[in-house]
């Protein structure tokens, strides 16, 4: 029977607000501040590696094509995404949250570079380069992103590795950035308008307005917090089972990639009354169960932290983070139909709450822990979840950047604290790509996990409704 997946080898940020019928908001000045969700990304940036995410764009290129041409074309498209030319600026005490400001010294060459793929390296070498870029901290004195063009992946393929700090945007915003770069014309000619810096008085007034507006939204915020508390209680437990999946991680990362046809997974999920995301969660739980059996551990249920976004799409003028997490208990044993039905029922209940509501609870907690200097200890010793799964819906049609077709996109996620392995999922132009990111010291058996995930997906996609 043909398999639904083929394998690749492992290697070592807000939406415009909608109008409300509630209390009248006090208009704010044009100060581009980070959101409460963005602050969570900054708080979490104290682990063994930086909170950086991104994507690998596989490109169809002509043999011998000059990489300088594509890099220059990308530079001329940066005007389509203002955030790529802005840096994060701290403000004086009492002036509110950090702000985004134009980088007067912005130089595209400090962000874009090219490297030749090691001989016969192919995708394995690209994954290694991407893993290294993910763990290399971005400088906070310039815009928080970097891109590296890897030429000669094969005779007609190159790759563009794009990495950004999570505070810049979430995954949905990242998709908007890629689409904007693809749609942009060569319109930026390195000219900059002189920015007008905000005075301290201006920032204090703006911060006061922001706080007053927050008070006006307090009833809605309390309702959201209540929904967030419900989300976080979905596990029905205060602790996840102790496993070797939860150990403090080191400074390195490895990646493995698995690909499936979107339609194959979607059809199988719908036939069983579930969604693509439900099916992926069931497969991840089964794969982790089998991985731990090989380690001599027996765990029949895993708690998976699932990212929920408060928006389905966004634009490059409204990036940042608008999401929350839900800890979902996922059974790992029993008939596959039963496993999938249990996940679908839990997720159906979760979706009755406002998307991303848990951020209303987790945000204040993370900031308090960060101010107390206890956040690093918390994430290194948490026993709430075993792993993370992020699932994004990418463009249904293939992108073309500067005349270069993008034949595939590999999502790049992050792990922090004592989460030793996590999964990033992206659908793009008919292909579902699952990237597993792991700490090689605490999860040296990534190849086995990749293979077990492939087998679990195969079982779920060939099993009909019970």
């Amino acid at each position: 029977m043909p398999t639904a997946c083929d394998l690749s080898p492992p290697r070592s940020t807000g939406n415009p607000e909608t109008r409300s019928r509630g209390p009248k908001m006090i208009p704010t000045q044009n100060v581009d501040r980070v959101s409460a969700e963005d602050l969570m990304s900054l708080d979490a940036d104290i682990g063994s590696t930086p909170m950086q995410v991104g994507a690998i764009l596989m490109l169809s290129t002509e043999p011998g094509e000059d990489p300088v041409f594509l890099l220059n074309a990308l530079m001329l498209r940066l005007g389509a995404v203002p955030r790529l030319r802005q840096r994060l600026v701290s403000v004086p005490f009492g002036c509110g949250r950090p702000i985004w400001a134009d980088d007067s010294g912005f130089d595209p060459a400090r962000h874009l570079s090219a490297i030749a793929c090691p001989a016969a390296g192919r995708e394995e070498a690209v994954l290694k380069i991407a893993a290294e870029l993910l763990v290399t901290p971005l400088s906070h004195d310039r815009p928080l992103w970097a891109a590296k063009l890897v030429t000669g992946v094969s005779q007609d393929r190159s790759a563009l590795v794009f990495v950004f700090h999570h505070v810049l945007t979430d995954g949905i915003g990242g998709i908007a950035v890629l689409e904007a770069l693809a749609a942009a014309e060569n319109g930026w000619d390195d000219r900059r308008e002189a920015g007008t810096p905000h005075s301290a008085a201006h920032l204090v007034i703006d911060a006061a307005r922001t706080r007053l507006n927050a008070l006006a939204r307090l009833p809605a915020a309390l309702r959201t917090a209540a929904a967030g508390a419900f989300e976080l209680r979905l596990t029905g437990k205060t602790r996840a089972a102790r496993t070797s999946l939860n150990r403090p991680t080191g400074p390195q990362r490895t990646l493995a990639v698995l690909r499936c046809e979107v339609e194959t997974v979607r059809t199988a999920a719908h036939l069983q009354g579930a969604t693509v995301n439900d099916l992926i969660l069931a497969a991840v739980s089964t794969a982790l169960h089998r991985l731990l059996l090989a380690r001599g551990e027996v765990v029949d249920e895993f708690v998976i932290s699932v990212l929920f976004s408060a928006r389905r799409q966004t634009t490059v003028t409204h990036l940042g983070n608008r999401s929350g997490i839900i800890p979902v208990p996922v059974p790992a044993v029993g008939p596959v139909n039963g496993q999938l039905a249990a996940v679908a029922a839990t997720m159906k209940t979760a979706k009755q709450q406002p998307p991303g509501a848990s951020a209303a609870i987790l945000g204040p907690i993370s900031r308090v822990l960060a101010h107390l200097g206890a956040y690093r200890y918390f994430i290194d010793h948490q026993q709430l979840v075993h792993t993370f799964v992020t699932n994004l819906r990418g463009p249904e049609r293939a992108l073309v950047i500067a005349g270069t077709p993008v034949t595939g996109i590999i999502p790049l996620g992050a792990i922090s604290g004592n989460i030793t392995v996590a999964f990033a999922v992206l659908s793009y132009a008919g292909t579902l790509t699952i990237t597993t990111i792991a700490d090689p010291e605490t999860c040296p058996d990534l190849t086995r996990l990749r293979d077990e995930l492939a087998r679990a997906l195969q079982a779920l996609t060939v099993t009909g409704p019970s």
Side-chain angles (χ1 to χ4, degrees), residues 36-379:
E37 291 91 338
D38 299 337
L39 287 177
M40 291 177 62
S41 295
L42 293 175
D43 292 339
D45 197 9
I46 56 174
S48 56
T49 59
M51 280 298 292
Q52 295 171 184
V53 294
I56 303 172
L57 279 61
M58 304 305 298
L59 308 174
S60 176
T61 53
E62 297 293 334
E65 183 175 312
D66 186 358
V68 174
F69 169 78
L70 181 55
L71 289 180
N72 287 339
L74 286 170
M75 290 181 185
L76 293 173
R77 283 163 166 74
L78 294 179
V81 188
R83 186 55 52 81
L84 297 183
R85 294 175 285 113
Q86 296 175 328
R87 64 188 184 93
L88 192 61
V89 179
S90 298
V91 298
F93 178 77
C95 292
R97 298 169 182 162
I99 64 174
W100 293 102
D102 291 341
D103 181 10
S104 59
F106 176 69
D107 181 359
R110 300 172 76 184
H111 300 267
L112 290 164
S113 61
I115 184 175
C117 187
R122 299 188 179 274
E123 189 171 281
E124 180 180 3
V126 176
L127 294 177
K128 181 178 180 180
I129 292 169
E132 293 172 349
L133 197 57
L134 274 175
V135 300
T136 303
L138 295 164
S139 176
H140 281 246
D141 66 354
R142 65 187 71 165
L144 292 168
W145 66 276
K148 183 169 291 189
L149 178 64
V150 185
T151 61
V153 178
S154 65
Q155 185 176 10
D156 58 353
R157 280 202 310 166
S158 295
L160 181 64
V161 183
F162 200 105
V163 170
F164 52 87
H165 194 285
H166 212 320
V167 71
L168 192 150
T169 191
D170 56 15
I172 289 178
I175 295 296
V177 169
L178 297 180
E179 291 178 324
L181 291 175
E185 301 292 337
N186 294 345
W188 187 64
D189 57 5
D190 198 32
R191 291 179 299 181
R192 307 176 191 81
E193 296 182 3
T196 302
H198 299 292
S199 68
H202 183 185
L203 292 173
V204 168
I205 293 171
D206 178 80
R209 287 194 178 101
T210 301
R211 295 183 183 108
L212 288 174
N213 286 338
L215 286 175
R217 292 192 295 265
L218 184 58
L222 291 175
R223 290 193 295 271
T224 301
F230 177 83
E231 285 183 353
L232 297 175
R233 290 198 306 267
L234 279 178
T235 61
K237 303 176 181 179
T238 57
R239 292 173 181 263
R242 287 182 177 271
T243 75
S244 58
L245 295 173
N246 294 120
R247 290 185 286 173
T249 56
Q252 302 300 320
R253 298 291 179 260
T254 52
L255 303 169
V257 175
L258 175 66
R259 295 180 176 91
C260 310
E261 292 183 358
V262 172
E263 193 54 38
T264 298
V265 178
R266 180 186 295 120
T267 299
H270 289 178
L271 284 173
Q272 300 174 73
T275 67
V276 170
N277 194 58
D278 298 338
L279 190 146
I280 292 170
L281 292 177
V284 165
S285 185
T286 298
L288 291 176
H289 169 75
R290 294 171 180 170
L291 178 74
L292 292 189
L293 279 180
R295 295 181 183 179
E297 304 171 53
V298 179
V299 181
D300 294 341
E301 181 181 79
F302 294 90
V303 182
I304 301 176
S305 178
V306 181
L307 185 71
F308 267 67
S309 179
R311 55 190 178 181
R312 290 186 176 274
Q313 59 184 12
T314 190
T315 66
V316 292
T317 56
H318 297 91
L319 294 177
N321 292 265
R322 293 291 304 277
S323 58
I325 59 172
I326 299 178
V328 180
V330 182
V333 295
V336 292
N337 285 341
Q339 290 177 248
L340 188 52
V343 177
T346 300
M347 296 303 293
K348 183 177 180 180
T349 301
K351 291 173 184 177
Q352 295 174 0
Q353 306 302 316
S358 61
I361 297 290
L362 297 177
I365 292 175
S366 70
R367 289 194 292 277
V368 169
L369 290 173
H371 287 313
L372 294 175
Y375 193 71
R376 175 66 183 271
Y377 180 87
F378 170 75
I379 63 173

Side-chain angles (χ1 to χ4, degrees), residues 380-429:
D380 280 348
H381 297 83
Q382 67 83 28
Q383 297 178 35
L384 303 175
V385 298
H386 293 110
T387 188
F388 305 139
V389 173
T390 303
N391 188 0
L392 292 172
R393 179 179 297 178
E396 295 184 359
R397 295 183 179 181
L399 301 176
V400 177
I401 298 180
T404 304
V406 180
T407 59
I409 301 179
I410 300 172
L412 301 175
I415 54 177
S416 61
N418 66 353
I419 301 295
T420 60
V421 62
F423 306 83
V425 187
L426 176 72
S427 62
Y428 171 73

